[in-house]
Amino acid sequence: MKETILLFHIDEPSLKQALQKALLPFRIRLKRVPESDYVLTLGELAGLPPLAAAEPAPSDDEASSAPEADSIPAPMMIFAGIPDGKLNLILKRLRDSRIRLPYKAVLTPTNQGWTPVQCFREIRREHEAMSGSRNL
């Protein structure tokens, strides 16, 4: 798999530009995912073949009735196929560039069968549990 960062809901032009500038030295493909592709799995979006038996996505009955149930209301990044050492350098570069995106994840065998919306819900749930607050 080609080293890729999947970008979701990165609409602000200054944020797009800052990300491109910060990540250019790493020679990683940045893929902006349109909302129309949110029906695909993270693995498919990263260029992996479809899974025969995907891990079940986290279920969240409360979130499925929320207004943003089929969207991603905040910027999110998914790192795919990036070795740990390089990922640490990328995260440091984002911090040094003052680019704050709290919703980030690494593509794993567990989440590659999830849709972007399912992944966002899980990241948000984990973020809220760690910070003890509800941001969205």
Side-chain angles (χ1 to χ4, degrees):
M1 166 184 14
K2 186 174 183 177
E3 294 178 346
T4 303
I5 299 177
L6 301 173
L7 302 171
F8 302 89
H9 195 71
I10 309 281
D11 300 326
E12 185 182 320
S14 62
L15 178 57
K16 285 182 198 177
Q17 195 171 33
L19 280 170
Q20 288 174 331
K21 183 179 178 183
L23 299 174
L24 183 65
F26 296 101
R27 298 182 181 259
I28 292 177
R29 178 174 74 143
L30 298 178
K31 181 176 180 182
R32 285 182 206 87
V33 180
E35 196 167 341
S36 60
D37 286 348
Y38 288 6
V39 295
L40 300 174
T41 66
L42 295 175
E44 290 170 320
L45 291 169
L48 295 175
L51 294 172
E55 284 279 331
S59 63
D60 186 351
D61 297 330
E62 181 183 313
S64 62
S65 63
E68 72 273 357
D70 294 326
S71 68
I72 295 174
M76 177 174 77
M77 300 174 76
I78 304 296
F79 301 95
I82 301 171
D84 288 345
K86 192 171 190 177
L87 179 60
N88 289 333
L89 291 172
I90 290 168
L91 293 172
K92 181 181 181 331
R93 178 68 180 240
L94 292 173
R95 279 190 306 273
D96 291 349
S97 300
R98 291 181 165 60
I99 298 172
R100 277 200 76 235
L101 294 173
Y103 301 107
K104 296 182 284 295
V106 173
L107 186 69
T108 67
T110 299
N111 67 18
Q112 72 183 23
W114 300 354
T115 66
V117 173
Q118 291 166 327
C119 187
F120 180 83
R121 286 185 200 146
E122 183 63 18
I123 294 170
R124 180 176 57 186
R125 185 179 11 260
E126 291 173 6
H127 189 270
E128 288 169 358
M130 290 176 66
S131 67
S133 66
R134 267 190 86 91
N135 294 335
L136 295 175

